[in-house]
């Protein structure tokens, strides 16, 4: 059965479907030795597909990793300016991995990497509402009133955010800073930083500490581990219960 090229690429673990479309448009994908830049292109199961000259293995084993992303690293599989990317931390993994969603360059914390395109798409889909907790160090002494606003939703980019969980962890009157934990299930662009901006607090430091049922327990910055079958099953359960 003929399938769309970007779908076959995502299923083979090249990148998410959207990132695969970008690879196609950038002229980095060949089908049977010919560069294809057309997004609607259909391919058959016996067509040979290569990305950046590397032949695609369509039946590669699906693997799932959790990385404690350090600050100052790009959430991508590759950077065209040669800067450090998250996959540089998983060099020992033979499968071709890409991150499930993004953390900002200056954000640290929990990032899943996989070669399973369907899994990545499901995790990132806003409909499934997977909770993610962030711990932010913000400028100023945050008030219970601002925490209430964060919980009820603030307007960012003209649209209110969904209900969230927010909690003051500590406040430093000398340094005039606060540490706040914020749990959201959306994944809008720079969402956490914008939410704090909306209540008048600039984020100085941001880290993601949980993703669904996963935590960073046992890892330090730059370390990674493979997820067990059980952990992957638990994540999928979160989605299937929605
Ligand atoms: N929200 C942000 O503002 N940045 C991140 O990296 C993640 C969520």
């Amino acid at each position: 059965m003929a399938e769309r090229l970007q779908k076959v690429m995502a299923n083979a673990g090249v990148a998410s479907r959207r990132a695969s479309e970008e690879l196609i448009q950038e002229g980095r994908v060949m089908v049977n030795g010919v560069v294809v830049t057309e997004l609607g292109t259909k391919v058959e199961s016996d067509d040979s597909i290569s990305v950046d000259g590397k032949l695609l293995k369509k039946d590669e084993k699906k693997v799932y990793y959790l990385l404690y992303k350090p600050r100052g690293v790009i959430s991508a599989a590759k950077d065209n300016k040669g800067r450090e990317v998250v996959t540089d931390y998983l060099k020992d993994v033979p499968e071709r991995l890409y991150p499930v969603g993004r953390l900002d360059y200056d954000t640290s914390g929990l990032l899943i990497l996989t070669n399973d395109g369907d899994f990545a798409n499901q995790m990132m889909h806003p409909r499934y509402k997977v909770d993610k907790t962030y711990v932010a160090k913000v400028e100023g002494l945050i008030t219970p009133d601002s925490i209430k606003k964060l919980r009820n939703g603030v307007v960012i980019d003209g649209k209110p955010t969904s209900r969230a969980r927010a909690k003051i962890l500590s406040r430093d009157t000398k340094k005039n800073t606060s540490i706040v934990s914020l749990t959201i299930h959306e994944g809008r662009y720079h969402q956490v930083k914008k939410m704090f901006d909306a209540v008048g607090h600039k984020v100085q430091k941001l880290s993601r500490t949980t993703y669904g049922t996963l935590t960073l327990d046992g890892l330090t910055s730059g370390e990674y581990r493979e997820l067990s079958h059980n952990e992957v099953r638990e994540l999928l359960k979160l989605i299937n219960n929605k």
Side-chain angles (χ1 to χ4, degrees), residues 102-107 134 184 188-194 206 208:
R102 283 184 189 168
L103 287 178
D104 294 337
Y105 179 75
D106 59 358
T107 300
Y134 295 85
I184 58 172
R188 291 161 61 184
Y189 186 59
H190 293 329
Q191 178 157 350
V192 175
K193 290 176 185 167
K194 285 178 180 170
L206 187 61
R208 181 157 71 192

Side-chain angles (χ1 to χ4, degrees), residues 21-45:
E21 289 177 357
E22 283 169 18
L23 291 172
I24 296 169
Q25 286 172 320
E26 286 165 9
R28 291 163 63 182
V29 182
M30 292 205 288
V31 177
N32 302 326
V34 179
V35 173
V36 167
T37 53
E38 194 79 22
L39 282 186
T41 304
K42 296 257 174 89
V43 290
E44 298 287 345
S45 56

Side-chain angles (χ1 to χ4, degrees), residues 108-119:
S108 64
L110 202 161
L111 188 67
I112 302 173
L113 293 105
T114 183
N115 59 353
D116 183 341
D118 284 336
F119 172 86

Side-chain angles (χ1 to χ4, degrees), residues 126-158:
R127 170 163 35 113
Y128 296 122
K129 302 192 167 106
V130 177
D131 278 344
K132 297 138 212 141
T133 300
Y134 295 85
V135 173
K137 181 179 179 191
V138 302
E139 278 176 19
L141 299 177
I142 201 160
T143 60
D145 187 50
S146 294
I147 291 292
K148 205 162 144 195
K149 285 186 185 145
L150 290 171
R151 286 185 186 144
N152 292 335
V154 291
V155 175
I156 61 170
D157 302 323

Side-chain angles (χ1 to χ4, degrees), residues 136 138 140-142 167-173 177-181:
V138 302
L141 299 177
I142 201 160
K167 196 174 150 195
I168 301 174
L169 299 182
S170 65
R171 301 197 310 171
D172 188 328
T173 46
T177 55
S178 311
I179 311 265
V180 182
S181 117

Side-chain angles (χ1 to χ4, degrees), residues 44-158:
E44 298 287 345
S45 56
D46 57 353
D47 282 333
S48 115
I49 301 164
S50 62
V51 181
D52 294 332
K54 238 173 112 180
L55 206 61
L56 201 120
K57 282 198 222 119
K58 290 179 200 145
D59 48 7
E60 194 172 62
K61 184 178 108 187
K62 300 287 187 263
V63 291
Y64 310 85
Y65 286 87
L66 185 166
L67 169 71
Y68 189 151
K69 176 194 173 295
R71 231 163 246 124
V73 181
I74 297 171
S75 288
K78 208 171 168 178
D79 180 59
N80 50 20
K81 293 190 191 127
R83 292 168 297 184
E84 196 173 36
V85 292
V86 285
T87 47
D88 291 341
Y89 286 82
L90 298 102
K91 283 241 166 75
D92 298 339
V93 177
E95 288 85 5
R96 178 177 186 137
L97 299 174
Y98 59 89
V100 175
R102 283 184 189 168
L103 287 178
D104 294 337
Y105 179 75
D106 59 358
T107 300
S108 64
L110 202 161
L111 188 67
I112 302 173
L113 293 105
T114 183
N115 59 353
D116 183 341
D118 284 336
F119 172 86
N121 279 330
Q122 286 183 303
M123 285 295 146
M124 285 189 277
H125 200 292
R127 170 163 35 113
Y128 296 122
K129 302 192 167 106
V130 177
D131 278 344
K132 297 138 212 141
T133 300
Y134 295 85
V135 173
K137 181 179 179 191
V138 302
E139 278 176 19
L141 299 177
I142 201 160
T143 60
D145 187 50
S146 294
I147 291 292
K148 205 162 144 195
K149 285 186 185 145
L150 290 171
R151 286 185 186 144
N152 292 335
V154 291
V155 175
I156 61 170
D157 302 323

